[in-house]
Each structure stands twice: as structure tokens, then as C-alpha cells.
Amino acid sequence: MQIRHLSPDNIGGVTAIILGALSIYESLRLYPYSNKILTGDHTFPGLIGVLLVISGVTLIFKRNKKEENDQPLPKGRIAYMMLGAIGILLIYCLIIDFIGYFFSTLLAFIFLIKLIGNYRWIFSIFISLIFTTVLYLLFIVLLKTPFPGIQLPF
């Protein structure tokens, strides 16, 4: 008996099916709280779940062409930029509760623009300030979305 090699497509397909099934489960759990079948909190998770399952099945049963199209892992500056961006976003997730949405987003933007765009610091700070302010005005002021703020001890 021969063990079949797991390709990246097969691993991605199984992962998509599992995530899709979890999303469909969440949709079914939320369904009793809605009035209609196509409106309510359950609709978006259900749609995403169905699309993930379909995509996963498509990836699993897709005929593999020659492995010549596989790209090598990035090296040098590109690998540094990719790992740096992931690190910046992980740190952003950790500090947003402590220093609030505005300042953590500003810092993440500054470092991402500097890392990926390789711009000067003054330009990175200026663009980051503009983008962070626009996002703040859009989500917090206009849409009234609750985001973490600075927690004062008093």
C-alpha cells in the first residue's frame, strides 16, 4: 500500500473544509435568533462557510499539473519583509488593548509603511497619521464602532 504525498492544495483544501464547517455550525447556532432565512446574524457566516467548503472540495479534487509551477520560498529582503510584517501585525494585536486603537494603529502603520515601502521615516509618519485619522473618523466617529481605548487607572 502506497501513502499518497500531501500536496499544499490538499492541505489547504482540508483546512478550508474544516473552517467552512465551523462557520456553517456557527450559522446554524445563530439561526434561531433570526426572523427570516436570508436576513440575520447567521447569513454571513453561513455564506462564508458554504464558499469555504466548495473551495476546499475544489482544491482537493483539482488535477495536479506538473510540479514545475512551484515557487521556491522567498529569500533575502523579501523573506525579511514578510516575516517583519507578520511580526508587526502580531505585536499590533497584543498592544491594541493596552494603548488603544488609535496609537497602536498609528505605530503599526508607521512600521509597515517603512518596512514594505522603504520610505523615509518622516513620510511614513505623515502617511500613517493621515490613514489612522481617516480610519478613526470612519469607524469610531461616523460608524460608532467600539474599539479598545486607553484604560486609565482612575
Side-chain angles (χ1 to χ4, degrees):
M1 182 172 177
Q2 184 180 13
I3 297 176
R4 198 171 119 188
H5 181 266
L6 288 177
S7 71
D9 286 342
N10 288 342
I11 295 171
V14 169
T15 304
I17 290 172
I18 291 170
L19 292 176
L22 288 173
S23 186
I24 290 171
Y25 172 75
E26 181 67 16
S27 175
L28 292 174
R29 193 180 70 75
L30 291 173
Y31 179 69
Y33 301 110
S34 65
N35 295 331
K36 297 180 181 177
I37 193 164
L38 293 178
T39 58
D41 293 338
H42 69 286
T43 305
F44 189 67
L47 177 66
I48 294 298
V50 168
L51 291 175
L52 278 171
V53 169
I54 291 170
S55 299
V57 169
T58 303
L59 274 175
I60 288 175
F61 291 111
K62 179 180 91 167
R63 293 200 183 265
N64 286 335
K65 295 181 181 178
K66 294 180 183 177
E67 298 292 330
E68 298 170 5
N69 294 337
D70 289 343
Q71 297 293 321
L73 290 175
K75 295 179 180 156
R77 175 149 171 78
I78 295 175
Y80 168 74
M81 286 182 2
M82 290 173 65
L83 292 175
I86 292 170
I88 290 169
L89 292 175
L90 287 175
I91 292 170
Y92 172 69
C93 291
L94 295 174
I95 67 171
I96 193 169
D97 286 333
F98 297 109
I99 64 173
Y101 170 77
F102 186 83
F103 293 115
S104 60
T105 303
L106 180 65
L107 287 173
F109 261 133
I110 289 170
F111 288 112
L112 283 171
I113 290 173
K114 177 68 179 154
L115 177 72
I116 296 171
N118 200 21
Y119 293 108
R120 293 181 311 176
W121 281 106
I122 192 74
F123 181 78
S124 298
I125 292 169
F126 180 70
I127 293 298
S128 299
L129 192 59
I130 291 173
F131 277 123
T132 304
T133 304
V134 168
L135 289 176
Y136 182 84
L137 291 173
L138 176 68
F139 286 109
I140 294 177
V141 175
L142 185 64
L143 296 175
K144 309 271 189 248
T145 306
F147 279 108
I150 297 176
Q151 301 298 324
L152 299 175
F154 47 86

